[in-house]
Amino acid sequence: MTTTARVLGLDLAAEMSGYAVLPDGPVGTITAPKPRGARRTLADDLDRLDHVARAVEALLDKHRPNLVVLEDYAPGLRSSAAHRLAEVSGCVRLAARRARVPLVLAGVGQIKLYATGQGGATKSAMAVSLYKRAGLEYGEDEVDAWWAAALGADHLGAPVVTVPAAHRAVLDRIAWPVLGGAA
């Protein structure tokens, strides 16, 4: 694919999700609305899902990526946050499907391997790698999303950063979608 390939990388969380549109789009966060009261209610949860879904739909509509790379759930995630994350992720997956943008799930360790060469790297190690390789500085959520998008851009043949061959080997271990159709 040519260097016009555009990838949306997403690092989802219940309260604040990172996004990056590479090679030339914005990098930022989607912050969930605050609960109305002292305790989060079903209405608050629905507001959060609607807010994230609309934000991702707007990114898809405005930037028209060729691929969405979504950081998959962390292995062993077991908590009430896991349920909220699953709900948010479902909304995002559906938004990509409706926009007819192929979606790939990249494991947390796969993104870390691509970024640093270490599957168990810390978020700070990923940020350091981003600074060393691209001269960029972002918060933790944006860093993960940036690396997810970079991984996808490399797969499309339009790398936005140079990483060692050992890091790139992770590309062969991801179940990439067939491009050109709905995910």
Side-chain angles (χ1 to χ4, degrees), residues 1 65-68 99-103 155-156 176-183:
M1 191 158 258
N66 307 93
L67 179 66
V68 173
R100 298 187 168 282
V101 179
L103 171 77
H155 168 72
L156 294 178
W176 296 101
V178 175
L179 298 180

Side-chain angles (χ1 to χ4, degrees), residues 100-162:
R100 298 187 168 282
V101 179
L103 171 77
V104 66
L105 302 176
V108 173
Q110 291 173 318
I111 296 170
K112 290 178 178 193
L113 271 169
Y114 182 79
T116 69
Q118 301 292 317
T122 63
K123 289 195 178 259
S124 62
M126 292 180 67
V128 168
S129 182
L130 179 58
Y131 184 74
K132 285 182 177 178
R133 296 190 186 286
L136 299 172
E137 292 183 76
Y138 294 113
E140 289 181 353
D141 298 307
E142 297 99 320
V143 166
D144 287 356
W146 193 95
W147 280 113
L151 179 110
D154 198 347
H155 168 72
L156 294 178
V160 294
V161 66
T162 302

Side-chain angles (χ1 to χ4, degrees), residues 9-93:
L10 292 162
D11 173 30
L12 300 179
E15 299 302 324
M16 184 179 297
S17 299
Y19 67 85
V21 180
L22 297 181
D24 56 2
V27 176
T29 57
I30 302 166
T31 303
K34 299 273 187 224
R36 294 182 186 108
R39 296 189 59 183
R40 186 173 284 283
T41 66
L42 176 59
D44 294 324
D45 288 341
L46 293 172
D47 287 346
R48 173 182 38 218
L49 296 176
D50 184 59
H51 178 74
V52 172
R54 288 177 189 267
V56 171
E57 289 165 358
L59 287 166
L60 292 167
D61 186 53
K62 181 175 183 179
H63 300 288
R64 305 271 185 214
N66 307 93
L67 179 66
V68 173
V69 180
L70 178 59
E71 184 181 82
D72 203 2
Y73 309 119
L77 183 63
R78 307 251 192 286
S79 69
S80 61
H83 297 285
R84 290 189 301 272
L85 180 58
E87 292 171 341
V88 170
S89 182
C91 289
V92 168
R93 294 171 192 212

